């Protein structure tokens, strides 16, 4: 296990804690991006988070709301408010001619934000079409002193309604007991990570605070391995995992691809107004595209 700390980034006018990608840790299974936003409150003079029209390729954005509300609009025509306890998944589709674009904003009158936004890379050898899903009814249960919510994947015989494109898991764990101890079974072939969103978690006798990502080696044993987490009441974490995709995952700005040529094409297409990314319309107005920065560096790649 290795613990990683967040860098602070500006996203749509608010500071967020970025845990993935970072030096030495680019992916956990297919999960390739991890931002923890808030908890933050806004005064009546502040507009909260306002992210303009931007594209994605070969990935799905996965939003888990802990407090507040965010309005999502995309180039497929979806307009969806996401609230506490809900998940949005926007799939960009796969290939050099697919893509999607969206905006995300704090609606007028909403004074708080606490959310986790992840991306997972898509299996690029499969043909996957762009889509958008909103989930309000996720499996939740009480177990070992913890309120568990299954956000995506399968866990202990339960299956989330969220569409999974490869072997993946996402769980929210909210500790309710003063000296909580939660033992999670792990799946062979999966890599796992634990993000602390509230409070602090104890693993192997060491405490880790908010915005720490504990990253665990791939489970290779055929025995039934488990992960034990200890925490006080009020602590909240996300348990993330999945099997590596088995192909290179290149990332630049808001793009994922399996080659740097495909990244370059996505940048050129977006900046030239290519129709693969569609348009976002509000009433009879088409929103302006946020330009992609030019690629000037060698891309880091996650090889498996
Ligand atoms: Mn986005």
């Amino acid at each position: 296990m290795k613990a990683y700390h967040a860098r602070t980034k500006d996203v749509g006018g608010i500071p967020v804690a970025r845990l993935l990608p970072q030096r030495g840790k680019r992916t956990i299974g297919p999960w390739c991006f991890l931002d923890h936003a808030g908890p933050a409150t806004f005064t009546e003079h502040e507009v909260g988070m306002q992210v303009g029209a931007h594209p994605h390729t070969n990935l799905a954005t996965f939003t888990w709301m802990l407090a507040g509300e965010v309005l999502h609009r995309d180039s497929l025509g979806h307009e969806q408010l996401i609230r506490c306890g809900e998940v949005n998944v926007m799939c960009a589709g796969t290939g050099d001619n697919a893509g999607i674009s969206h905006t995300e904003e704090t609606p007028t009158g909403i004074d708080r934000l606490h959310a986790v936004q992840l991306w997972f890379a898509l299996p690029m050898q499969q043909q996957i079409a762009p889509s958008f899903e909103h989930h309000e009814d996720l499996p939740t249960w009480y177990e070992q002193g913890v309120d568990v919510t299954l956000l995506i994947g399968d866990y202990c015989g339960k299956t989330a309604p969220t569409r999974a494109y490869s072997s993946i898991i996402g769980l929210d764990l909210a500790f309710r007991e003063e000296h909580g101890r939660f033992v999670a079974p792990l799946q062979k072939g999966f890599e796992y990570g634990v993000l602390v969103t509230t409070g602090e978690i104890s693993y192997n006798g060491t405490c880790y605070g908010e915005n720490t990502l504990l990253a665990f080696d791939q489970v290779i044993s055929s025995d039934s391995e488990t992960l034990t987490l200890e925490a006080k009441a009020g602590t909240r974490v996300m348990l993330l995992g999945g099997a590596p995709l088995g192909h290179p995952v290149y990332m630049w700005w808001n793009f994922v691809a399996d080659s740097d040529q495909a990244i370059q094409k996505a940048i050129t297409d977006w900046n030239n107004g290519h129709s693969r990314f569609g348009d976002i319309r509000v009433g009879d107005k088409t929103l302006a595209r946020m330009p992609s920065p030019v690629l000037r560096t060698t891309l880091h790649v996650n090889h498996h």
Side-chain angles (χ1 to χ4, degrees), residues 6-10 15-18:
R7 292 164 300 140
T8 303
K9 297 277 181 180
D10 178 277
V16 303
R18 180 155 302 162

Side-chain angles (χ1 to χ4, degrees), residues 94-117:
T94 52
D96 291 0
N97 294 307
I100 201 164
S101 56
H102 69 151
T103 61
E104 292 156 297
E105 58 195 80
T106 303
T108 306
I110 298 299
D111 68 349
R112 63 196 60 233
L113 175 65
H114 191 193
V116 183
Q117 189 174 78

Side-chain angles (χ1 to χ4, degrees), residues 11 33 51-56 59 61 63 72 90 100-104 117 119 254:
V11 173
F33 178 93
V51 185
H54 64 279
H56 290 293
L59 65 88
T61 65
T63 308
H72 160 96
M90 185 187 76
I100 201 164
S101 56
H102 69 151
T103 61
E104 292 156 297
Q117 189 174 78
W119 304 347
N254 289 300

Side-chain angles (χ1 to χ4, degrees), residues 19 31 34-36 39 62 64-66 87 114-116 118 139-141 143-152 155 169-176 180-184 186 192-203 206-216 227-241:
L19 279 307
W31 299 105
L34 170 48
D35 268 0
H36 178 211
F62 177 100
W64 166 233
M65 290 299 291
L66 295 164
V87 162
H114 191 193
V116 183
L118 295 124
T140 60
W141 66 96
E143 172 196 342
Q144 303 178 61
V146 170
D147 288 312
V148 184
T149 308
L150 181 56
L151 309 174
I152 188 170
Y155 183 82
I169 183 140
L171 282 177
D172 181 90
L173 306 174
F175 287 76
R176 259 212 251 165
R181 184 170 183 273
F182 189 85
V183 182
L186 302 182
Y192 286 94
V194 173
L195 168 71
V196 184
T197 52
T198 305
E200 59 176 32
I201 200 92
S202 173
Y203 172 76
T206 305
C207 282
Y208 301 93
E210 269 166 40
N211 292 324
T212 310
L213 176 68
L214 310 187
F216 300 88
L227 170 65
T228 302
L229 299 171
E230 293 178 303
K232 292 179 185 157
T235 298
R236 201 153 181 188
V237 306
M238 276 183 94
L239 174 63
L240 303 163

Side-chain angles (χ1 to χ4, degrees), residues 20 39 43 97 141 166 171 178 185 213 236 242 248 271 274 286:
L20 287 180
T43 68
N97 294 307
W141 66 96
S166 67
L171 282 177
E178 211 34 62
L213 176 68
R236 201 153 181 188
N271 286 345
H274 196 289
T286 297

Side-chain angles (χ1 to χ4, degrees), residues 16-88:
V16 303
R18 180 155 302 162
L19 279 307
L20 287 180
Q22 62 169 283
R23 190 180 293 274
K25 194 69 199 165
R26 310 207 60 82
T27 51
I28 292 172
W31 299 105
C32 61
F33 178 93
L34 170 48
D35 268 0
H36 178 211
T41 53
F42 314 122
T43 68
E44 57 183 313
H45 306 293
E46 292 173 319
V47 293
M49 183 183 73
Q50 302 292 325
V51 185
H54 64 279
H56 290 293
T57 56
N58 298 299
L59 65 88
T61 65
F62 177 100
T63 308
W64 166 233
M65 290 299 291
L66 295 164
E69 295 179 10
V70 169
L71 179 66
H72 160 96
R73 286 192 179 97
D74 66 43
S75 52
L76 298 176
H78 298 99
E79 184 174 317
Q80 179 67 56
L81 202 56
I82 179 171
R83 301 180 181 86
C84 176
E86 300 176 351
V87 162
N88 275 359

Side-chain angles (χ1 to χ4, degrees), residues 1-2 35 48-49 69 74 80 94 142 166 179 185 195 224 234 241 252 257 277 285 299:
M1 192 285 290
K2 195 170 172 201
D35 268 0
M49 183 183 73
E69 295 179 10
D74 66 43
Q80 179 67 56
T94 52
Y142 184 70
S166 67
H179 301 284
L195 168 71
S224 48
W252 171 253
F277 297 108
K285 198 176 83 183
L299 289 175

